[in-house]
Amino acid sequence: MAGYILSCCSTADLKAAHFKARDIQWIPFHFLLDGVTHDDDQTMSSESFYNAMRNGADTKTAQVSTGEFIEYFTPFLEQGKDILHISLSSGLSGVYNAACIARDDLRERFPERKIYVVDSLGASSGYGLIMETLADLRDGGMDIDELYGWIEQHKLEMWHWFFSTDLTFYVKGGRLSKVGGWFGTVLRICPLLNMNETGHLTPRMKMRGKAKAIEGIVDRMAETARDGLNYSGKCFISQSDCLEDAQAVAKLVEERFPKLSGRVLINDIGTTIGSHTGPGTVALFFWGKSRAEA
């Protein structure tokens, strides 16, 4: 067993059983539903959460604080474990900075221990696929220094493409104007977005109708995946209460990329990310060429 822990936040959007099976430690963000605070710990079902949003519930999110990170990291350090913690993109949240402040505090208290904090520049199950890959490399024998160097070198090779069939919550959150949301709804426009090299969400094109969006997102994978249609890595999808749409994307990916490593894994978009996207979003994740060069 490695002498270090591999850690992330709940915003990696993998199921709790998956985290446990891969020996990945995780700490939950928080969300408010109609003013009541909950941990993003998967105790509330996705169905209940998205139904509440559809019925007009007010949602807000809160990142993990520095104090929470100190409390979370300390027992591992006391056990003599080093820590490699991967954070949600700094382009979406201040949680990376909170983890870094905790790291600096704990280094003074545990000078003999290694504590690495990495900005994933990713989110949802793209961040999750980064954690999955790091677990594979750890299990293959990489030590913490090698693994830290590897992810810093390769993190921009994780691609995030996504579309939404419901623009309501993009308008509500200020990511789309009311006029743009109205025209998008009337014209059945599904915006196709990705994560850029600074970890920010970036609109790329507009697809007319869901069928075009499903085809378009897989076309983008063909263009940007490592080795194109010969891509042989893993592929994850996350979805916010639109499982049939996610299954349609997964089916098309498996048809067009016959060398995939296993089946496409479909995850739920958790309550933190979902508070901003709302229902109706499908996201596709895979390894490709560097986003900095695209």
Side-chain angles (χ1 to χ4, degrees), residues 164-276:
S164 182
T165 58
D166 185 345
L167 304 180
T168 303
F169 297 92
Y170 290 84
V171 173
K172 186 176 180 181
R175 291 169 177 79
L176 189 65
S177 70
K178 290 183 178 180
V179 173
W182 184 84
F183 277 108
T185 300
V186 170
L187 298 176
R188 297 185 301 112
I189 297 297
C190 297
L192 193 59
L193 306 90
N194 74 357
M195 188 85 78
N196 68 13
E197 70 277 8
T198 61
H200 292 83
L201 303 181
T202 305
R204 296 299 185 185
M205 58 191 69
K206 299 175 182 177
M207 313 302 292
R208 184 74 177 268
K210 183 165 60 178
K212 289 291 186 181
I214 290 171
E215 184 178 354
I217 199 172
V218 180
D219 286 342
R220 301 293 81 74
M221 180 174 175
E223 292 173 358
T224 53
R226 184 182 299 156
D227 300 320
L229 294 175
N230 289 317
Y231 177 68
S232 58
K234 295 180 181 180
C235 178
F236 284 3
I237 287 174
S238 61
Q239 56 86 30
S240 55
D241 205 30
C242 50
L243 181 58
E244 290 185 2
D245 295 342
Q247 289 171 332
V249 173
K251 181 176 183 293
L252 189 55
V253 168
E254 289 175 352
E255 289 173 353
R256 295 188 62 185
F257 297 85
K259 297 182 180 180
L260 280 178
S261 177
R263 302 290 300 274
V264 174
L265 179 66
I266 299 176
N267 300 292
D268 294 332
I269 294 177
T271 50
T272 296
I273 304 295
S275 291
H276 301 285

